[in-house]
Amino acid sequence: MHLDLTDKIALVTGGSRGIGRECVLRLSRSGARVIINYNKSREKAEELLAKIAHHGSEGDLFQADISQPDAVEMLFSFVRERFENLDILVNNAGIIKDNLLLSMKLSDWDRVHDVSLRGAFLCTKSAAEMMMLNHRGKIINIASVAALRCGTGQANYASAKGGLVSFTRACAVELSGKGIQVNAVLPGFILTDMSRRVRKRGGELILKQIPAGRFGMPIDVANIVAFLASDQSDYISGQAISVDGGLSIS
Ligand code: NAP
């Protein structure tokens, strides 16, 4: 599907690696100017910026730990000063800190929620403020199949992602009438750094549970993100769309 995002300004949180990186490439290929947020992977973010420049697109880098209000404030000050508006926000940054419930440290519970949920709240609030001025915007939250069906040791992650799906719906209720669509994408097992350890431990078993018979690629997620970022999805809001090869219904 040809998606035209020419002249759109997009921000992808956690854009330095994995799914976020692929979203940056996909949005930029469709014409968007993408601000790549990263936290620790500066080199990877710089390589990505060079790659999109090589393909003739412009982009920007901004380091921020999106779980921190001051850092998010600085990120959005940059966006406001540089572009005045924002068309697309992809709340992609996320981490895992798996452990059995009885062994789970409070700090690991908090950190997973802080990045996935608090970070999405902080960024969405700032983005919505800008988008409301133009009566237009797209917010896409990268949740997870874990919101619907999760493995052992994921109480923190599953609840954060389930919360993100509910947050998506709550925001859609408030923002749809203001021209802003908010949707969630729920990836299954995607080939990135994040899923490597789990795949190594139980890859064969997991594959048997995926009706499509394969793990997902970052581009499988980025394609639906690009669609949700485009005008072609203007009547879709508050939805949670699984990209999991059928895992959630198996
Ligand atoms: P990944 O390869 O581990 O990449 C995670 C990204 O998040 C990195 O770019 C990282 O940036 C960024 N990040 C982490 N903490 C951050 C923070 N505090 N502030 C800003 N950025 C931060 O993970 P992934 O697989 O691409 O996952 C991307 C999203 O998809 C996550 O929300 C994840 O939960 C979700 N997801 C993934 C899968 C999967 O199978 N891979 C399945 C379902 C859902 P730095 O490296 O620069 O720190």
Side-chain angles (χ1 to χ4, degrees), residues 7-38:
D7 296 333
K8 302 281 186 198
I9 308 295
L11 167 63
V12 179
T13 70
S16 49
R17 293 185 289 120
I19 291 170
R21 177 182 188 276
E22 200 64 39
C23 290
V24 170
L25 290 168
R26 184 66 183 82
L27 295 175
S28 129
R29 215 165 48 236
S30 291
R33 177 166 182 145
V34 188
I35 302 144
I36 305 163
N37 157 251
Y38 67 96

Side-chain angles (χ1 to χ4, degrees), residues 14 16-17 19 39-41 65-66 92 143 157 161 188 190 192:
S16 49
R17 293 185 289 120
I19 291 170
N39 187 26
K40 295 180 182 155
S41 303
D65 175 346
I66 51 94
N92 165 77
Y157 185 73
K161 294 301 192 180
I190 310 296
T192 68

Side-chain angles (χ1 to χ4, degrees), residues 82-149:
R82 185 91 172 216
F83 303 106
E84 287 176 12
N85 68 322
L86 182 70
D87 300 292
I88 301 158
L89 167 66
V90 184
N91 282 314
N92 165 77
I95 56 165
I96 47 170
K97 286 191 178 290
D98 290 1
N99 214 334
L100 294 176
L101 179 66
L102 298 189
S103 308
M104 189 171 284
K105 291 190 223 139
L106 179 60
S107 56
D108 287 349
W109 169 273
D110 283 344
R111 188 65 192 146
V112 167
H113 279 81
D114 284 353
V115 177
S116 272
L117 201 46
R118 185 166 126 129
F121 163 69
L122 293 169
C123 292
T124 298
K125 204 172 160 208
S126 294
E129 217 168 57
M130 294 176 74
M131 290 171 175
M132 276 160 85
L133 297 175
N134 294 321
H135 210 76
R136 183 184 81 213
K138 302 280 187 180
I139 299 174
I140 300 134
N141 296 324
I142 307 299
S144 169
V145 66
L148 306 171
R149 174 196 167 155

Side-chain angles (χ1 to χ4, degrees), residues 213-224:
R214 67 168 177 91
F215 292 114
M217 302 299 290
I219 190 66
D220 292 318
V221 182
N223 279 333
I224 186 83

Side-chain angles (χ1 to χ4, degrees), residues 162-177:
L164 190 56
V165 172
S166 296
F167 175 69
T168 301
R169 295 193 180 117
C171 291
V173 168
E174 287 192 34
L175 299 176
S176 295

